Amino acid sequence: MSNREREVDLAKRVKVIEWLKTEVVDQVARLLKGIWEGNQAKIIDGLASLISSVYILGRRLGVSFRSLDEAIMDKMKKHREEGHQLEDWYGDISALEDHLRKR
């Protein structure tokens, strides 16, 4: 690969990362709008789009899907062990851990 081709590839990678960052922000806005409207379909679409954009952004930044999954599991375990309020009140942390383990 020539020096020029490497520069073009680097520019392309940077542009994709910047685009993905704007996608994450856009998906958060869409999710919040869906919540504001009380529209379940928009909420689900916003959440799914946000999660997929974050996974792909992570991959573009050199983070494997597996590493991200493991980091999420570690974070949930830590929250549960520290008595996070969402776990204490609703059991959300252990529910997410169970869901991720069963995938």
Side-chain angles (χ1 to χ4, degrees):
M1 184 181 285
S2 73
N3 194 31
R4 177 72 177 136
E5 289 172 324
R6 276 189 283 260
E7 289 174 4
V8 169
D9 184 54
L10 177 61
K12 182 179 174 182
R13 286 187 280 150
V14 168
K15 187 175 183 177
V16 167
I17 289 169
E18 290 303 313
W19 176 75
L20 284 166
K21 288 167 35 181
T22 64
E23 279 294 300
V24 168
V25 172
D26 184 50
Q27 298 310 328
V28 169
R30 289 175 190 231
L31 171 61
L32 294 176
K33 186 175 182 182
I35 293 169
W36 176 257
E37 294 172 357
N39 185 318
Q40 189 73 6
K42 285 185 179 181
I43 291 169
I44 292 169
D45 184 64
L47 287 168
S49 296
L50 180 60
I51 292 166
S52 58
S53 293
V54 168
Y55 267 86
I56 293 168
L57 175 60
R59 183 170 187 228
R60 291 291 94 222
L61 294 171
V63 178
S64 71
F65 298 150
R66 180 181 300 279
S67 294
L68 188 53
D69 285 345
E70 289 170 358
I72 292 168
M73 286 296 290
D74 290 345
K75 185 160 291 290
M76 292 305 100
K77 180 180 178 184
K78 181 179 177 186
H79 284 328
R80 186 176 34 78
E81 290 171 349
E82 292 174 351
H84 194 284
Q85 280 185 333
L86 289 175
E87 179 62 22
D88 292 344
W89 293 351
Y90 305 107
D92 287 345
I93 305 299
S94 56
L96 179 56
E97 281 182 301
D98 289 343
H99 169 75
L100 293 173
R101 261 196 296 277
K102 291 175 183 176
R103 289 201 296 177

